[in-house]
Amino acid sequence: MAETTTANPPVDFRTEPAGYKHWKLTFDGPVATLAMDVREDSGLRPGYELKLNSYDLGVDIELYDALQRLRFEHPEVGAVILTSGKERVFCAGANIRMLGQSSHAWKVNFCKFTNETRNAIEEASSESKQVWLTAVNGPCAGGGYELALATEWIVMADDGNTAVSLPEVPLLAVLPGTGGLTRLIDKRKVRRDRADFFCTTEEGVKGARAVEWSLVDEVVPRSRMPETVTQRARELAAKTDRPRAARGVALTPLARTIEGDRIAYTHVRCALDRRRGIAEITTAAPAAPPSDPAAALAQGAAFWPLAVARELDDLILHLRTNEEQIGLWVFRTTGAADVVEAHDRLLLGHQGDWFLREVRLYLKRVLKRIDVSSRSVFALIEPGSCFAGTLLELALAADRSYMIDGTRPGEPTPPATLRLTAANFGAYPTINGLSRLAARFLKEPGRVDDLKGRVGQDLDAAAAAEAGLVTFTPDDLDWEDEVRQALEARAAFSPDALTGMEASLRFGGPETLETKIFGRLSAWQNWIFQRPNAVGPKGALQVYGTGERSDFDRRRV
Amino acid sequence: MAETTTANPPVDFRTEPAGYKHWKLTFDGPVATLAMDVREDSGLRPGYELKLNSYDLGVDIELYDALQRLRFEHPEVGAVILTSGKERVFCAGANIRMLGQSSHAWKVNFCKFTNETRNAIEEASSESKQVWLTAVNGPCAGGGYELALATEWIVMADDGNTAVSLPEVPLLAVLPGTGGLTRLIDKRKVRRDRADFFCTTEEGVKGARAVEWSLVDEVVPRSRMPETVTQRARELAAKTDRPRAARGVALTPLARTIEGDRIAYTHVRCALDRRRGIAEITTAAPAAPPSDPAAALAQGAAFWPLAVARELDDLILHLRTNEEQIGLWVFRTTGAADVVEAHDRLLLGHQGDWFLREVRLYLKRVLKRIDVSSRSVFALIEPGSCFAGTLLELALAADRSYMIDGTRPGEPTPPATLRLTAANFGAYPTINGLSRLAARFLKEPGRVDDLKGRVGQDLDAAAAAEAGLVTFTPDDLDWEDEVRQALEARAAFSPDALTGMEASLRFGGPETLETKIFGRLSAWQNWIFQRPNAVGPKGALQVYGTGERSDFDRRRV
């Protein structure tokens, strides 16, 4: 199997509309249209053609960028029509040759990113009030249908040719990789026996049956598609609470330097320790917050919470995709807790402000990326740090945290403290819908209410341990040894076992569409992506398109 | 890797206390004690010794038998003490050499069965009011601790030597295979950072910290263990609603014949079609029901619902373990719906009856085994069948059902009908806690209430389709072709893709400890059981005990 991730230059997730190869974004007042029009010859990697509006990671990076810009740069948009720019096909899903030549890690990471983008589409609809709908104007298969499933309304052409389908099982011996099975059952609540038939039927379902089975919301003659879709979009846009006349915030190019094993942004920097497989990630607080929402808006992309969200987002995607051997991410912070708390007050104190809402939602998404990353995450809380409010979420997202009890020998910096702010009590729910504090104290939910009384206090190591906010608090004499041993022990374990363990321990409590997708569906997909029936020399994914027939081991596991 | 399942004689799940090699079951009024005392030289397969009270499938088959007999043969028992019969160890978990030499399918199937048994222990505590507790009287590692986690109270000796641990990740590069991670987080609600530390610490946690972290419920000096455990058991037994003076029902030896490709019990028979990979399973209704609960009790193991539960249970376990290449189970029924409905009335009409409750709970467990089996399940509803009430659950458990609309050409039997009884509305919740009807109509919960009005009616194909109870209703002319094509298409798909797809479609709606264990944890475990870091030539599971060090691929997936 070609090792796509190592033989090629690193993937860059930064792009902008002027550079889009595969999407066309147009605007008509409160309605935007995002048309998929994939350039066959512009795959991210050599070796495959993106036929029939099929996609690879490069196509999805542009989709993610478009989604972000629609939210930040276009406050006036209340509805987004997702459709195809091709005449005869909506979308054939993920490119099969690309999957066939990709490493296991590449496939899994690709599916994770595409899943996160579809979840962000749903969040745009439900929380940003920028509601997505789909115009299925041609055959819509696999990942194409999964894209439609992530939107709130699906209109399909009734033309004898257009159908929705999930042909992965019969055609490729893998699962739909982007939440399709979960959304069929748990979002659209398709009856499971019908879903079973649908998912084993290459040609899919069209026309009235697709509506009766709840696979799409309406079918209309092809001639009436534009009119119907526009009308639905206007109806949805009319319900938005986004401001019609506000100025958007331009997501200006993100400054990043990579020099050797150091990656630096404005507020976030990262040092890679390749020998030990560790990334040390430090987030810095800024000097002072803007005085009010108008001042924050005037800062635009330089507004610290937005800048930090963008920097961490890019870093996480970079590390996941380009640094597979770095298995442990260690989070540190530096700066003044007061400034972080002041930003939190600004972010959360103006619930009607569209821009501040977007920034908070973006931070939420970035923190959730950490939750679902297949990397161990530790937080180190040291003198000079500012784990307060939004930045404290990094420590609460960690698998484990260490806080030094005392000062470092010979250093004048006062002992480390933590600080809770209002941001820790629901602003950034994790994928199970709970705040990280609530998820932490499943056994004693009353502790969360108690902690509300401590908002704004500086908690030293003893107080933080007593409050249950940190895992271990070694004193200054033991600190270096204990932390070093913990990092080295972690780095020595089997990466796969850690991934499975962390995925199992991170998502306690209630389940949501997202936990089902990342916790369960992804695990089955990962398993199948390892099975010879899919990826062996005679596996369905390998022989697809060669004319050869796949040869299955018939034993059920 | 040795293919344990094919080179050896079939596994027989039937046993009885006189034949136990590994467990000692004793009684003291309302308290039973089940002591694990594994015979090292009596592994189910050659090639490993069951040292340190470690277990293999043979040990677990006896545990399952003991659990069943405690429930049916000992109505007087209200509490069960699980402990070790060895001096120096409680239980070291699943035998590692056994796992190392087992095929992937064997490992996965072994974990599934052990999981089901632990779930049945929890059901005994919560629904049979026969509450299990554990006396941890020596080191308790991996699967040993997972056994303890399945009980409602854990007392641990505080002797400097006894600890609980889940050393799978650091020691073997696999996950705890029997629900340990899920029960830590979702049952005992251990804080996730502490769980993270605990699961990466070979030596485990003992003494006061084990209580503080909620890993056990109490620690007591070794000298006070017997007295404390007995007292806790008596307290738990005092709360039971089981009758002190009732006579138990002996689970007499289960009659089964296997001749070539035919397996026959009294009421259930099975024909294997090895060429197509299909098992055709027919369940027959009996002649007439007993008149009242006393008459049912007098029938004992011959009481039809109990006999059917035992026969289906044994057949499912046999097919899962010994017939890996049979990927599709087709359920049929034969007999009179009136008799099935009369049995349902008896089963459900006497809520205070301990025996009828046990029979219902057993049927519930058997139906759940179907839900979590990695086999496709179809139901064929034909003239002469009796898919009514309890037996209708077989059709509702199926991935898909076909009901013939009309009679078979040239046959005098009247057209097939279905019949709902009270048993379809909550008597047999599936693993997500919903009735199969409620899980079927997630989109339209009101339909379940509507269907209550049709209890007792014979629904022909048109009515059954209208009610949403069957998938397809081909007429008599199309029946043979349509069913044959559906069976053959199913048999041609990749077994792995079907397993992942079915696991994703079967468990919509709410989540429980069980859905998390079978839907998510098992999928991660399956994945890891495929990864070279665990099972490759240098994988941790393979080199364990050889003195060699495992050599990990450090890339994170």
Side-chain angles (χ1 to χ4, degrees):
Chain A
M1 208 180 307
E3 293 295 309
T4 311
T5 48
T6 49
N8 288 289
V11 177
D12 194 336
F13 287 81
R14 298 170 303 171
T15 185
E16 57 185 351
Y20 289 178
K21 295 172 179 149
H22 308 294
W23 296 89
K24 295 192 168 48
L25 187 52
T26 54
F27 297 89
D28 179 12
V31 173
T33 298
L34 184 61
M36 189 177 200
D37 193 5
V38 175
R39 264 171 56 183
E40 291 192 4
D41 62 357
S42 293
L44 187 66
R45 298 284 190 241
Y48 51 87
E49 289 187 341
L50 295 173
K51 291 187 177 168
L52 296 172
N53 250 10
S54 63
Y55 60 85
D56 68 354
L57 182 59
V59 177
D60 235 73
I61 286 172
E62 293 182 7
L63 171 63
Y64 177 56
D65 186 75
L67 166 81
Q68 293 283 73
R69 289 180 195 278
L70 278 163
R71 294 174 73 161
F72 281 99
E73 301 185 351
H74 296 278
E76 81 283 4
V77 169
V80 181
I81 298 168
L82 181 72
T83 192
S84 163
K86 305 270 189 224
E87 268 296 303
R88 301 214 178 136
V89 65
F90 176 81
C91 169
N95 187 273
I96 298 167
R97 304 247 355 220
M98 175 278 292
L99 285 175
Q101 76 183 51
S102 297
S103 70
H104 182 61
W106 181 273
K107 283 198 278 286
V108 169
N109 190 56
F110 168 71
C111 288
K112 183 166 288 171
F113 177 71
T114 56
N115 266 314
E116 288 172 317
T117 303
R118 279 127 197 87
N119 294 342
I121 288 174
E122 286 179 334
E123 191 212 47
S125 294
S126 63
E127 300 200 44
S128 281
K129 310 300 176 194
Q130 195 171 65
V131 181
W132 288 54
L133 68 162
T134 308
V136 179
N137 54 351
C140 173
Y145 180 47
E146 290 178 298
L147 253 177
L149 284 171
T151 70
E152 301 310 299
W153 191 259
I154 306 174
V155 188
M156 181 163 73
D158 195 5
D159 61 4
N161 183 39
T162 296
V164 291
S165 64
L166 289 177
E168 285 85 345
V169 169
L171 213 57
L172 305 170
V174 299
L175 300 189
T178 327
L181 301 180
T182 306
R183 286 199 176 84
L184 273 188
I185 292 293
D186 278 306
K187 182 180 182 181
R188 299 194 66 93
K189 298 184 167 59
V190 175
R191 228 172 66 197
R192 55 171 279 231
D193 57 337
R194 289 170 166 175
D196 178 271
F197 177 81
F198 175 65
C199 296
T200 54
T201 306
E202 262 178 63
E203 62 273 23
V205 171
K206 61 191 172 186
R209 179 180 261 189
V211 178
E212 191 198 335
W213 286 20
S214 189
L215 300 168
V216 305
D217 294 294
E218 56 181 322
V219 290
V220 296
R222 206 174 172 91
S223 59
R224 280 188 31 227
M225 279 290 284
E227 161 205 339
T228 305
V229 171
T230 303
Q231 191 185 325
R232 294 287 171 273
R234 288 201 181 129
E235 288 162 8
L236 292 168
K239 295 187 206 152
T240 191
D241 64 0
R242 295 169 71 87
R244 286 283 155 92
R247 186 169 52 90
V249 168
L251 298 178
T252 51
L254 188 65
R256 180 182 77 184
T257 59
I258 300 184
E259 287 174 3
D261 292 337
R262 296 186 175 270
I263 306 159
Y265 304 84
T266 306
H267 307 284
V268 174
R269 60 179 196 274
C270 173
L272 303 179
D273 178 342
R274 295 189 187 280
R275 187 183 60 78
R276 297 193 300 169
I278 297 173
E280 308 209 46
I281 302 164
T282 304
T283 304
S291 52
D292 57 25
L297 186 67
Q299 290 188 347
F303 180 48
W304 177 77
L306 174 54
V308 161
R310 294 183 75 200
E311 294 176 11
L312 283 173
D313 199 19
D314 186 73
L315 178 64
I316 292 165
L317 293 172
H318 171 77
L319 291 176
R320 273 196 202 162
T321 308
N322 302 314
E323 297 288 355
E324 293 176 339
Q325 305 226 15
I326 303 293
L328 174 57
W329 296 348
V330 176
F331 281 101
R332 288 191 174 83
T333 57
T334 176
D338 287 344
V339 184
V340 179
E341 189 180 2
H343 276 94
D344 283 355
R345 270 197 301 269
L346 187 59
L347 266 184
L348 302 177
H350 305 274
Q351 296 281 351
D353 187 282
W354 76 271
F355 172 60
L356 297 175
R357 177 173 74 186
E358 278 310 327
V359 174
R360 178 182 64 78
L361 291 172
Y362 191 7
L363 282 163
K364 178 176 77 142
R365 291 197 297 284
V366 171
L367 290 163
K368 288 199 294 188
R369 274 212 215 277
I370 298 174
D371 299 327
V372 303
S373 287
S374 57
R375 300 294 190 277
S376 297
V377 179
F378 282 12
L380 297 185
I381 304 163
E382 298 165 308
S385 66
C386 56
F387 282 97
T390 294
L391 292 186
L392 178 59
E393 291 291 308
L394 293 172
L396 297 174
D399 296 305
R400 219 187 267 186
S401 59
Y402 290 82
M403 182 171 186
I404 187 168
D405 186 3
T407 53
R408 283 170 181 285
E411 279 186 20
T413 319
T417 55
L418 294 184
R419 194 186 293 182
L420 292 159
T421 78
N424 303 116
F425 296 86
Y428 309 117
T430 180
I431 63 167
N432 66 7
L434 299 180
S435 70
R436 285 181 184 75
L437 280 181
R440 188 173 186 85
F441 297 120
L442 284 176
K443 193 181 174 72
E444 304 159 279
R447 288 186 85 135
V448 179
D449 284 330
D450 295 346
L451 288 173
K452 281 184 186 156
R454 310 194 68 175
V455 161
Q457 298 176 13
D458 282 321
L459 306 177
D460 65 12
E466 173 68 29
L469 296 172
V470 294
T471 319
F472 296 112
T473 55
D475 66 25
D476 48 352
L477 294 176
D478 295 332
W479 175 259
E480 294 293 344
D481 275 353
E482 187 164 338
V483 168
R484 183 180 44 75
Q485 282 165 16
L487 298 183
E488 289 180 356
R490 193 70 164 203
F493 296 140
S494 160
D496 311 312
L498 287 175
T499 293
M501 183 191 85
E502 289 154 4
S504 300
L505 298 179
R506 285 179 187 171
F507 311 131
E511 296 266 343
T512 63
L513 211 56
E514 288 181 74
T515 60
K516 286 189 177 186
I517 288 170
F518 291 115
R520 172 201 285 187
L521 187 64
S522 298
W524 285 112
Q525 179 70 303
N526 287 5
W527 176 67
I528 290 164
F529 274 158
Q530 282 278 282
R531 301 285 294 157
N533 285 341
V535 299
K538 291 279 195 175
L541 206 52
Q542 298 307 310
V543 305
Y544 182 79
T546 64
E548 257 191 289
R549 284 199 52 167
S550 46
D551 182 19
F552 294 140
D553 179 345
R554 301 240 58 97
R555 285 176 299 175
R556 275 282 191 142
V557 172
Chain B
M1 206 179 307
E3 292 294 309
T4 311
T5 48
T6 48
N8 288 289
V11 177
D12 194 337
F13 287 81
R14 298 170 301 172
T15 184
E16 57 184 351
Y20 289 177
K21 294 171 178 150
H22 308 295
W23 297 89
K24 294 192 167 49
L25 187 52
T26 54
F27 297 88
D28 179 11
V31 174
T33 299
L34 185 61
M36 189 177 200
D37 193 3
V38 175
R39 263 170 57 182
E40 292 191 4
D41 61 357
S42 294
L44 187 66
R45 297 285 189 238
Y48 52 86
E49 289 188 340
L50 296 172
K51 291 187 176 167
L52 296 172
N53 250 11
S54 63
Y55 60 86
D56 68 354
L57 182 58
V59 177
D60 234 72
I61 287 173
E62 293 182 6
L63 171 62
Y64 177 55
D65 186 75
L67 166 81
Q68 293 284 70
R69 289 181 195 278
L70 279 162
R71 294 173 73 161
F72 280 100
E73 300 185 350
H74 296 279
E76 81 284 3
V77 169
V80 180
I81 299 168
L82 181 72
T83 191
S84 163
K86 306 270 189 222
E87 268 297 302
R88 300 210 179 139
V89 66
F90 177 81
C91 169
N95 187 273
I96 299 167
R97 305 254 345 230
M98 176 278 293
L99 284 175
Q101 76 183 50
S102 297
S103 70
H104 183 59
W106 180 274
K107 283 199 276 287
V108 170
N109 190 55
F110 168 71
C111 288
K112 183 165 289 170
F113 178 71
T114 55
N115 266 314
E116 289 172 316
T117 303
R118 278 126 198 88
N119 293 344
I121 288 174
E122 286 179 334
E123 191 213 48
S125 295
S126 62
E127 299 201 45
S128 281
K129 311 300 177 192
Q130 194 171 65
V131 182
W132 288 54
L133 68 161
T134 309
V136 179
N137 54 351
C140 173
Y145 180 47
E146 290 178 298
L147 252 177
L149 283 172
T151 69
E152 301 310 299
W153 192 259
I154 306 174
V155 188
M156 181 163 73
D158 195 4
D159 60 5
N161 184 40
T162 297
V164 291
S165 64
L166 290 176
E168 284 85 346
V169 169
L171 213 57
L172 305 170
V174 298
L175 300 188
T178 330
L181 300 180
T182 306
R183 286 200 176 82
L184 273 187
I185 293 294
D186 278 305
K187 182 179 182 181
R188 301 194 64 95
K189 299 183 165 58
V190 175
R191 228 173 66 197
R192 56 170 277 228
D193 57 337
R194 290 170 165 174
D196 180 271
F197 177 80
F198 175 64
C199 296
T200 54
T201 306
E202 261 179 64
E203 62 273 24
V205 171
K206 61 191 172 186
R209 178 181 261 191
V211 177
E212 191 197 335
W213 285 19
S214 189
L215 300 169
V216 305
D217 295 291
E218 56 181 322
V219 290
V220 297
R222 206 173 171 91
S223 59
R224 278 189 29 227
M225 279 289 284
E227 161 203 341
T228 305
V229 172
T230 303
Q231 191 185 325
R232 295 287 170 273
R234 288 201 180 128
E235 288 162 7
L236 292 169
K239 294 186 207 152
T240 192
D241 65 0
R242 296 170 70 87
R244 287 283 158 90
R247 187 169 51 91
V249 168
L251 298 178
T252 51
L254 188 65
R256 180 183 78 185
T257 58
I258 300 184
E259 286 173 4
D261 291 338
R262 299 190 171 266
I263 305 160
Y265 304 85
T266 306
H267 306 285
V268 175
R269 61 179 196 273
C270 173
L272 303 179
D273 178 342
R274 295 189 187 280
R275 186 182 62 79
R276 297 193 300 169
I278 297 172
E280 308 208 46
I281 301 165
T282 305
T283 303
S291 52
D292 59 25
L297 187 67
Q299 290 188 347
F303 180 49
W304 178 77
L306 174 55
V308 162
R310 295 183 74 201
E311 294 176 11
L312 284 172
D313 199 20
D314 186 73
L315 178 63
I316 292 165
L317 293 172
H318 171 77
L319 291 176
R320 274 195 201 163
T321 309
N322 301 314
E323 297 288 353
E324 294 176 340
Q325 305 227 15
I326 303 293
L328 174 56
W329 296 347
V330 176
F331 281 100
R332 288 191 174 85
T333 57
T334 177
D338 288 344
V339 184
V340 179
E341 189 180 3
H343 276 95
D344 283 356
R345 270 197 300 270
L346 187 58
L347 265 184
L348 302 177
H350 305 273
Q351 297 281 349
D353 187 283
W354 77 271
F355 172 60
L356 297 176
R357 177 172 75 188
E358 278 310 327
V359 174
R360 178 181 64 78
L361 292 172
Y362 191 7
L363 282 162
K364 176 175 74 138
R365 290 197 298 284
V366 171
L367 289 162
K368 289 199 294 188
R369 272 211 216 278
I370 297 174
D371 298 328
V372 302
S373 286
S374 57
R375 301 293 191 277
S376 297
V377 178
F378 281 12
L380 296 185
I381 304 164
E382 298 165 308
S385 66
C386 56
F387 282 96
T390 294
L391 293 186
L392 178 59
E393 292 290 308
L394 294 172
L396 296 174
D399 296 305
R400 218 186 268 185
S401 57
Y402 290 82
M403 182 171 184
I404 188 169
D405 186 2
T407 53
R408 285 171 180 283
E411 279 187 20
T413 320
T417 55
L418 294 184
R419 193 185 295 182
L420 292 159
T421 77
N424 302 117
F425 296 86
Y428 309 118
T430 179
I431 64 168
N432 66 5
L434 299 180
S435 70
R436 285 180 184 75
L437 280 182
R440 188 173 185 85
F441 298 118
L442 284 175
K443 193 181 174 72
E444 305 160 279
R447 288 187 85 135
V448 179
D449 283 330
D450 295 345
L451 288 173
K452 280 185 187 157
R454 310 195 68 175
V455 161
Q457 297 175 13
D458 282 320
L459 306 178
D460 65 14
E466 173 67 30
L469 295 172
V470 294
T471 319
F472 297 113
T473 53
D475 65 23
D476 47 354
L477 294 177
D478 295 333
W479 175 258
E480 293 293 343
D481 274 354
E482 186 164 338
V483 167
R484 183 179 45 74
Q485 282 164 18
L487 298 182
E488 288 180 357
R490 193 69 164 205
F493 296 140
S494 160
D496 310 313
L498 286 175
T499 293
M501 182 191 86
E502 290 154 3
S504 300
L505 298 180
R506 286 178 186 171
F507 311 132
E511 296 265 347
T512 62
L513 210 57
E514 287 179 74
T515 59
K516 287 189 176 186
I517 288 170
F518 290 114
R520 171 201 285 187
L521 187 64
S522 298
W524 285 111
Q525 179 70 303
N526 287 5
W527 177 66
I528 290 164
F529 274 157
Q530 282 278 282
R531 300 285 293 155
N533 285 342
V535 299
K538 290 279 194 176
L541 207 51
Q542 298 306 312
V543 304
Y544 181 79
T546 64
E548 257 190 288
R549 283 199 53 168
S550 46
D551 182 17
F552 294 139
D553 179 345
R554 301 241 57 97
R555 285 176 299 176
R556 274 281 190 142
V557 172

